[in-house]
PDB file of all heavy atoms in Angstrom:
ATOM      1  N   LYS A 452      25.264  11.431  11.474  1.00 62.00           N
ATOM      2  CA  LYS A 452      23.974  11.282  12.150  1.00 62.00           C
ATOM      3  C   LYS A 452      22.844  11.126  11.122  1.00 62.00           C
ATOM      4  O   LYS A 452      21.952  10.292  11.312  1.00 62.00           O
ATOM      5  CB  LYS A 452      23.735  12.511  13.020  1.00 62.00           C
ATOM      6  CG  LYS A 452      22.634  12.387  13.997  1.00 62.00           C
ATOM      7  CD  LYS A 452      22.602  13.601  14.899  1.00 62.00           C
ATOM      8  CE  LYS A 452      21.597  13.428  16.003  1.00 62.00           C
ATOM      9  NZ  LYS A 452      21.542  14.589  16.877  1.00 62.00           N
ATOM     10  N   GLU A 502       9.619  14.230  11.944  1.00 73.00           N
ATOM     11  CA  GLU A 502      10.235  13.539  13.097  1.00 73.00           C
ATOM     12  C   GLU A 502      11.694  13.263  12.845  1.00 73.00           C
ATOM     13  O   GLU A 502      12.540  13.431  13.728  1.00 73.00           O
ATOM     14  CB  GLU A 502       9.460  12.266  13.394  1.00 73.00           C
ATOM     15  CG  GLU A 502      10.022  11.465  14.547  1.00 73.00           C
ATOM     16  CD  GLU A 502       9.882  12.142  15.901  1.00 73.00           C
ATOM     17  OE1 GLU A 502       9.148  13.127  16.022  1.00 73.00           O
ATOM     18  OE2 GLU A 502      10.555  11.666  16.849  1.00 73.00           O
ATOM     19  N   VAL A 503      12.029  12.840  11.623  1.00 75.00           N
ATOM     20  CA  VAL A 503      13.430  12.613  11.263  1.00 75.00           C
ATOM     21  C   VAL A 503      14.187  13.918  11.359  1.00 75.00           C
ATOM     22  O   VAL A 503      15.293  13.985  11.885  1.00 75.00           O
ATOM     23  CB  VAL A 503      13.546  12.003   9.846  1.00 75.00           C
ATOM     24  CG1 VAL A 503      14.995  11.980   9.405  1.00 75.00           C
ATOM     25  CG2 VAL A 503      12.966  10.608   9.826  1.00 75.00           C
ATOM     26  N   GLY A 504      13.579  15.002  10.867  1.00 74.00           N
ATOM     27  CA  GLY A 504      14.203  16.326  10.952  1.00 74.00           C
ATOM     28  C   GLY A 504      14.464  16.748  12.383  1.00 74.00           C
ATOM     29  O   GLY A 504      15.493  17.373  12.693  1.00 74.00           O
ATOM     30  N   ARG A 505      13.566  16.395  13.261  1.00 74.00           N
ATOM     31  CA  ARG A 505      13.748  16.729  14.687  1.00 74.00           C
ATOM     32  C   ARG A 505      14.966  16.019  15.261  1.00 74.00           C
ATOM     33  O   ARG A 505      15.718  16.586  16.028  1.00 74.00           O
ATOM     34  CB  ARG A 505      12.473  16.337  15.483  1.00 74.00           C
ATOM     35  CG  ARG A 505      12.517  16.792  16.918  1.00 74.00           C
ATOM     36  CD  ARG A 505      11.198  16.490  17.608  1.00 74.00           C
ATOM     37  NE  ARG A 505      11.029  15.075  17.873  1.00 74.00           N
ATOM     38  CZ  ARG A 505      11.496  14.441  18.951  1.00 74.00           C
ATOM     39  NH1 ARG A 505      12.173  15.089  19.859  1.00 74.00           N
ATOM     40  NH2 ARG A 505      11.266  13.157  19.090  1.00 74.00           N
ATOM     41  N   HIS A 506      15.146  14.760  14.884  1.00 73.00           N
ATOM     42  CA  HIS A 506      16.308  14.017  15.386  1.00 73.00           C
ATOM     43  C   HIS A 506      17.615  14.461  14.784  1.00 73.00           C
ATOM     44  O   HIS A 506      18.657  14.353  15.404  1.00 73.00           O
ATOM     45  CB  HIS A 506      16.113  12.508  15.142  1.00 73.00           C
ATOM     46  CG  HIS A 506      15.061  11.904  16.019  1.00 73.00           C
ATOM     47  ND1 HIS A 506      15.206  11.750  17.362  1.00 73.00           N
ATOM     48  CD2 HIS A 506      13.820  11.403  15.719  1.00 73.00           C
ATOM     49  CE1 HIS A 506      14.144  11.194  17.886  1.00 73.00           C
ATOM     50  NE2 HIS A 506      13.275  10.969  16.886  1.00 73.00           N
ATOM     51  N   VAL A 507      17.553  14.972  13.566  1.00 74.00           N
ATOM     52  CA  VAL A 507      18.781  15.396  12.873  1.00 74.00           C
ATOM     53  C   VAL A 507      19.170  16.807  13.225  1.00 74.00           C
ATOM     54  O   VAL A 507      20.337  17.195  13.117  1.00 74.00           O
ATOM     55  CB  VAL A 507      18.580  15.245  11.346  1.00 74.00           C
ATOM     56  CG1 VAL A 507      19.744  15.803  10.574  1.00 74.00           C
ATOM     57  CG2 VAL A 507      18.377  13.771  10.988  1.00 74.00           C
ATOM     58  N   ALA A 508      18.199  17.610  13.683  1.00 75.00           N
ATOM     59  CA  ALA A 508      18.455  19.033  13.989  1.00 75.00           C
ATOM     60  C   ALA A 508      19.572  19.191  15.003  1.00 75.00           C
ATOM     61  O   ALA A 508      19.704  18.394  15.947  1.00 75.00           O
ATOM     62  CB  ALA A 508      17.200  19.685  14.500  1.00 75.00           C
ATOM     63  N   THR A 509      20.389  20.218  14.792  1.00 77.00           N
ATOM     64  CA  THR A 509      21.570  20.419  15.647  1.00 77.00           C
ATOM     65  C   THR A 509      21.309  21.328  16.825  1.00 77.00           C
ATOM     66  O   THR A 509      21.985  21.222  17.853  1.00 77.00           O
ATOM     67  CB  THR A 509      22.740  20.974  14.826  1.00 77.00           C
ATOM     68  OG1 THR A 509      22.323  22.180  14.208  1.00 77.00           O
ATOM     69  CG2 THR A 509      23.209  19.963  13.778  1.00 77.00           C
ATOM     70  N   ASN A 510      20.345  22.235  16.729  1.00 80.00           N
ATOM     71  CA  ASN A 510      20.076  23.124  17.897  1.00 80.00           C
ATOM     72  C   ASN A 510      18.665  22.922  18.390  1.00 80.00           C
ATOM     73  O   ASN A 510      17.800  22.369  17.721  1.00 80.00           O
ATOM     74  CB  ASN A 510      20.351  24.606  17.539  1.00 80.00           C
ATOM     75  CG  ASN A 510      19.469  25.115  16.421  1.00 80.00           C
ATOM     76  OD1 ASN A 510      18.342  24.689  16.286  1.00 80.00           O
ATOM     77  ND2 ASN A 510      19.991  26.067  15.655  1.00 80.00           N
ATOM     78  N   SER A 511      18.419  23.398  19.599  1.00 80.00           N
ATOM     79  CA  SER A 511      17.110  23.137  20.256  1.00 80.00           C
ATOM     80  C   SER A 511      15.979  23.899  19.576  1.00 80.00           C
ATOM     81  O   SER A 511      14.841  23.406  19.544  1.00 80.00           O
ATOM     82  CB  SER A 511      17.201  23.508  21.722  1.00 80.00           C
ATOM     83  OG  SER A 511      17.478  24.881  21.880  1.00 80.00           O
ATOM     84  N   ALA A 512      16.232  25.078  18.985  1.00 79.00           N
ATOM     85  CA  ALA A 512      15.173  25.814  18.316  1.00 79.00           C
ATOM     86  C   ALA A 512      14.686  25.040  17.068  1.00 79.00           C
ATOM     87  O   ALA A 512      13.471  24.930  16.842  1.00 79.00           O
ATOM     88  CB  ALA A 512      15.642  27.203  17.902  1.00 79.00           C
ATOM     89  N   ALA A 513      15.589  24.477  16.310  1.00 77.00           N
ATOM     90  CA  ALA A 513      15.228  23.689  15.130  1.00 77.00           C
ATOM     91  C   ALA A 513      14.483  22.438  15.537  1.00 77.00           C
ATOM     92  O   ALA A 513      13.529  22.021  14.891  1.00 77.00           O
ATOM     93  CB  ALA A 513      16.461  23.355  14.306  1.00 77.00           C
ATOM     94  N   ARG A 514      14.925  21.789  16.627  1.00 75.00           N
ATOM     95  CA  ARG A 514      14.239  20.591  17.138  1.00 75.00           C
ATOM     96  C   ARG A 514      12.801  20.921  17.543  1.00 75.00           C
ATOM     97  O   ARG A 514      11.866  20.181  17.259  1.00 75.00           O
ATOM     98  CB  ARG A 514      14.981  19.997  18.319  1.00 75.00           C
ATOM     99  CG  ARG A 514      15.988  18.986  17.889  1.00 75.00           C
ATOM    100  CD  ARG A 514      16.574  18.215  19.067  1.00 75.00           C
ATOM    101  NE  ARG A 514      18.020  18.450  18.936  1.00 75.00           N
ATOM    102  CZ  ARG A 514      18.781  19.049  19.819  1.00 75.00           C
ATOM    103  NH1 ARG A 514      18.334  19.441  20.972  1.00 75.00           N
ATOM    104  NH2 ARG A 514      20.055  19.250  19.583  1.00 75.00           N
ATOM    105  N   SER A 515      12.639  22.056  18.213  1.00 79.00           N
ATOM    106  CA  SER A 515      11.320  22.472  18.668  1.00 79.00           C
ATOM    107  C   SER A 515      10.408  22.765  17.486  1.00 79.00           C
ATOM    108  O   SER A 515       9.230  22.362  17.467  1.00 79.00           O
ATOM    109  CB  SER A 515      11.459  23.695  19.561  1.00 79.00           C
ATOM    110  OG  SER A 515      10.201  24.161  19.947  1.00 79.00           O
ATOM    111  N   SER A 517      10.685  21.528  14.429  1.00 75.00           N
ATOM    112  CA  SER A 517      10.374  20.248  13.777  1.00 75.00           C
ATOM    113  C   SER A 517       9.295  19.486  14.508  1.00 75.00           C
ATOM    114  O   SER A 517       8.422  18.895  13.890  1.00 75.00           O
ATOM    115  CB  SER A 517      11.636  19.395  13.655  1.00 75.00           C
ATOM    116  OG  SER A 517      12.558  19.984  12.786  1.00 75.00           O
TER     117      SER A 517
END
Side-chain angles (χ1 to χ4, degrees):
K452 193 174 187 180
E502 178 67 14
V503 171
R505 187 175 72 86
H506 288 292
V507 174
T509 56
N510 62 31
S511 62
R514 269 189 237 119
S515 176
S517 293

